Amino acid sequence: MERPLTKNIRPDGKPLFIKEYESLGGYQSVKKALAMQPKEIQELVKKSNLKGRGGAGFNTGLKWSFVPMQGEFEHKYLVANGDEMEPGTFKDRLLIEGNPHQLIEGMIGTAFAIQADEGYIFIRGEYTYAAEVVAKALAEAYEAGYLGNNILKTGYKFNLHLHTSVGRYICGEETALLNSLEGKRANPRAKPPFPQVSGLFGQPTIVNNIETLCNIPHIINNGAEWFNGLSLTPGDGGTKIFGASGKVKKPGLWELPFGVTLRELLEEHAGGMRDGLKFKGCLPGGASTDFLVEQHLDIRMDYASVAAAGSRLGTGTMIVLDDKTCPVGMVLNLEHFFAQESCGFCTPCREGLPWTEKILQKIENGKGEMKDLDILQFHTKFMGPGNTFCALAPGAMAPLQSALKYFREDFELHIKEHKCSWK
Amino acid sequence: MLTAEEIHEIKEEFHLYPYKQAACIEALKVVQKHRRWVSDENVKDLAELLEMSADEIDSVATFYNLIYRRPVGKYVILLCDSVSCYIMGLETVLQHLERTLGIKYGETTADDRFTMLPVPCLGTCDHAPAMIVGKDLYRDLTPEKIDEILNSYK
């Protein structure tokens, strides 16, 4: 089984710097890409069926193809979204810290494909070590001639900078991220215009997730057919970094083909539940995905199968709920997060999420009433897709609505017994 | 008054952006690096330097949770309060920190050594519970481990 993304990452996760990276075949794709036509690379990536690994799962090559390739622009920008803040998600940290040059190499190929001349690696402020590693790798890449005003003496210009952020989950939303890069509050922007046409400082811009970008060198080197062949699911190219946290025996990250089953992830890779605990459910791809429960264990982990089961693949890193952890407490923790992280721009999200949190707190404290469940149910519709300015509130409603569906009796037990029986 | 060093460092950031107002967040980071936090006076001085209104600067400063608009201690403890840490025993860790330091979230120890704040998911969920002290990440926290960590910050 091939693991292109992680095969060169050391077991202890210590970063690979340029000499070693080059000796393992690093930066080959830059030479290859610079000899191709930009549109050719876009087509290649489109055919590879690489989909955005930040959670949305949109075809990456298709996303790039909306960048205007004719006409004069002051700049075109490429931004790597390293604002990994989706609770339960820890995959981009591994890729940045373990192999920073793979990311930079992927960004050069991507930048060339859209003819970007400026780029930013946007890293959340708490990832201080990742930022140090990237800063060093960037200096090495400039020194070696892979970045700068005349890359490998081909005349192609791409300058790449590190930006460390100062908090807030909403910065991961791509248009909010652009506002943050412009030094503003990170409120999402209205679309259209899409960033591909008018993004950073009003110029054509692509924002891609770290894991997405790390796939690019391998696609350029090995082709679309090879990339599709890595996956067990037709239509989803490549591997995915899956992960698990919670009370499993071996929490961690594993690069696996799309289409492995949830059961295999849980039982084989995560080692099953800790002794004495039972699996109650999981959020398959971060905090803003719907719960999956025992009946879903045999579904395949790919975009379509997880969607058919009523959830989302999201970031592919699951949070496991066991039978000794209070599901109401867990959902309360999630809604507290979303209420706090709402940017406050649109009313349903700003007002609705704290309302949801208060009701959940009331139920968890044993002061809930049955009608509170109807209010929560109402909120899941009221803040559902299409009713808010961005995807934050609908994401927040995903774990709540699925918890009300699968764990309803646990909510009712809190109300009937006037206490949390898990404490 | 901003120091000459701060002004120099802020101006260094200008060349990364098409106009200087875009360096607003970088400017706030510079001030905080030198002073631990950003005061009302600093906001006014930055407004002058960046040719923005003080309210504009403050609207940015107060939006971001890692820009501190109130005094903090020498080391800021950022305790992850998100879902994986919740499952893995956040409550025990928080209680131990509160007891040991004698402070709650948002407070600073009397000796000005530590300020404790909650922070969203630190992205190290397979080693929960986790926290940051200053710039350093600590994982798989237990009360014993916390005592050891806190003692290493003087």
Side-chain angles (χ1 to χ4, degrees):
Chain A
M1 196 161 47
E2 285 186 89
R3 294 191 168 93
L5 291 175
T6 55
K7 69 167 189 258
N8 291 331
I9 293 181
R10 288 186 246 264
D12 64 1
K14 288 266 179 293
L16 206 60
F17 286 112
I18 197 159
K19 276 219 169 86
E20 213 172 340
Y21 184 67
E22 282 181 315
S23 73
L24 293 163
Y27 285 111
Q28 291 298 327
S29 80
V30 174
K31 290 162 200 143
K32 207 169 162 188
L34 294 185
M36 290 168 77
Q37 292 300 316
K39 270 284 172 195
E40 229 182 306
I41 304 175
Q42 292 185 17
E43 272 307 307
L44 173 71
V45 172
K46 210 191 288 182
K47 280 195 202 124
S48 78
N49 286 310
L50 170 65
K51 293 178 182 170
R53 305 292 199 241
F58 191 78
N59 182 301
T60 303
L62 190 60
K63 184 176 185 177
W64 296 355
S65 72
F66 301 126
V67 174
M69 299 303 284
Q70 311 290 333
E72 290 290 311
F73 300 96
E74 239 170 85
H75 293 291
K76 281 196 208 172
Y77 292 102
L78 171 65
V79 181
N81 185 346
D83 192 59
E84 182 167 67
M85 219 187 274
E86 176 79 18
T89 302
F90 48 107
K91 66 187 181 68
D92 293 337
R93 180 200 282 276
L94 171 80
L95 291 170
I96 304 170
E97 293 181 353
N99 199 351
H101 282 289
Q102 176 173 254
L103 168 66
I104 294 170
E105 183 178 358
M107 289 189 78
I108 300 167
T110 305
F112 186 76
I114 59 165
Q115 291 292 291
D117 63 326
E118 288 282 324
Y120 292 91
I121 300 177
F122 186 105
I123 296 183
R124 64 179 293 195
E126 296 89 341
Y127 279 16
T128 49
Y129 181 61
E132 264 174 50
V133 167
V134 165
K136 183 174 172 194
L138 280 174
E140 287 181 334
Y142 273 105
E143 175 77 17
Y146 295 119
L147 291 171
N149 293 329
N150 186 10
I151 295 175
L152 301 179
K153 302 194 172 64
T154 58
Y156 175 60
K157 172 186 170 184
F158 179 57
N159 285 298
L160 184 56
H161 319 285
L162 168 66
H163 176 94
T164 55
S165 186
V166 278
R168 297 310 294 271
Y169 170 67
I170 194 63
C171 290
E173 199 278 345
E174 67 174 11
T175 61
L177 183 150
L178 296 177
N179 276 337
S180 189
L181 261 182
E182 291 183 8
K184 299 173 185 160
R185 291 167 74 94
N187 295 332
R189 296 177 180 177
K191 292 187 273 192
F194 287 88
Q196 288 98 321
V197 179
S198 178
L200 189 60
F201 301 112
Q203 304 297 311
T205 304
I206 283 289
V207 182
N208 280 145
N209 167 260
I210 299 287
E211 186 183 352
T212 310
L213 291 162
C214 289
N215 276 294
I216 301 303
H218 308 292
I219 296 172
I220 292 174
N221 284 334
N222 303 306
E225 202 176 315
W226 167 84
F227 195 71
N228 276 296
L230 294 175
S231 162
L232 304 171
T233 304
D236 285 340
T239 56
K240 176 81 194 77
I241 300 191
F242 290 105
S245 63
K247 291 189 173 163
V248 292
K249 284 201 179 110
K250 294 185 293 178
L253 294 167
W254 315 280
E255 184 181 1
L256 297 165
F258 274 99
V260 296
T261 65
L262 182 54
R263 187 184 298 280
E264 185 186 328
L265 274 182
L266 186 72
E267 288 172 6
E268 201 171 306
H269 300 284
M273 301 304 294
R274 286 188 180 181
D275 294 335
L277 296 178
K278 282 200 196 103
F279 173 82
K280 189 169 171 93
C282 74
L283 301 173
S288 60
T289 58
D290 290 74
F291 277 99
L292 294 178
V293 292
E294 185 139 27
Q295 71 193 71
H296 301 117
L297 281 176
D298 291 309
I299 66 157
R300 288 177 173 277
M301 294 294 278
D302 56 50
Y303 292 102
S305 308
V306 180
S311 187
R312 284 192 311 122
L313 187 69
T315 61
T317 42
M318 67 168 150
I319 306 150
V320 178
L321 171 66
D322 56 271
D323 62 336
K324 301 268 168 69
T325 298
C326 173
V328 176
M330 177 175 173
V331 176
L332 169 62
N333 176 283
L334 294 165
E335 298 311 325
H336 166 73
F337 164 80
F338 287 113
Q340 172 187 288
E341 294 305 318
S342 168
C343 80
F345 175 81
C346 80
T347 310
C349 178
R350 182 186 63 239
E351 305 298 327
L353 290 175
W355 188 354
T356 309
E357 184 194 346
K358 275 183 196 154
I359 292 174
L360 286 163
Q361 186 71 65
K362 192 177 146 196
I363 296 173
E364 177 70 356
N365 290 349
K367 302 224 161 62
E369 302 160 70
M370 282 301 174
K371 68 171 193 212
D372 288 331
L373 298 181
D374 299 331
I375 300 175
L376 289 176
Q377 198 75 53
F378 163 78
H379 279 306
T380 63
K381 299 283 179 290
F382 184 64
M383 284 184 279
N387 292 339
T388 57
F389 194 63
C390 82
L392 187 141
M397 292 301 99
L400 176 60
Q401 65 168 12
S402 48
L404 286 171
K405 184 158 78 185
Y406 298 122
F407 313 134
R408 191 169 184 98
E409 50 194 48
D410 299 323
F411 284 82
E412 287 176 355
L413 194 69
H414 279 76
I415 295 169
K416 282 182 197 143
E417 296 196 340
H418 304 292
K419 62 171 183 147
C420 171
S421 307
W422 280 261
K423 272 180 186 152
Chain B
M1 282 282 282
L2 299 175
T3 63
E5 194 185 359
E6 283 168 323
I7 292 172
H8 173 76
E9 284 181 30
I10 292 168
K11 286 187 171 167
E12 281 290 292
E13 297 292 332
F14 289 173
H15 75 272
L16 276 175
Y17 304 92
Y19 43 87
K20 61 183 173 183
Q21 288 79 11
C24 176
I25 292 172
E26 297 304 319
L28 288 163
K29 277 158 65 179
V30 168
V31 171
Q32 185 164 296
K33 187 182 85 185
H34 289 279
R35 301 167 190 255
R36 295 191 203 167
W37 67 292
V38 181
S39 69
D40 291 351
E41 191 200 331
N42 302 149
V43 168
K44 283 184 191 135
D45 291 340
L46 283 175
E48 203 172 310
L49 184 65
L50 298 175
E51 296 177 46
M52 295 165 76
S53 74
D55 287 344
E56 276 180 288
I57 303 263
D58 207 19
S59 79
V60 174
T62 55
F63 185 88
Y64 293 98
N65 57 301
L66 297 181
I67 297 293
Y68 308 131
R69 280 291 275 111
R70 278 196 276 171
V72 294
K74 191 170 175 194
Y75 304 104
V76 175
I77 298 173
L78 298 172
L79 179 64
C80 174
D81 71 346
S82 287
V83 63
S84 303
C85 286
Y86 165 80
I87 293 172
M88 299 306 286
L90 166 65
E91 205 50 43
T92 315
V93 167
L94 175 61
Q95 279 170 11
H96 187 76
L97 279 165
E98 284 178 345
R99 259 202 311 271
T100 312
L101 297 170
I103 54 171
K104 296 196 178 302
Y105 282 144
E107 294 176 350
T108 302
T109 53
D111 63 359
D112 210 27
R113 203 149 57 105
F114 296 110
T115 298
M116 181 164 68
L117 296 170
V119 76
C121 185
L122 287 174
T124 188
C125 318
D126 52 343
H127 292 281
M131 69 175 180
I132 286 177
V133 183
K135 283 187 170 177
D136 308 315
L137 176 68
Y138 296 97
R139 324 188 296 172
D140 301 306
L141 295 176
T142 58
E144 301 73 51
K145 214 166 159 181
I146 288 172
D147 292 341
E148 223 172 276
I149 294 164
L150 294 180
N151 282 331
S152 70
Y153 287 85
K154 296 293 170 198

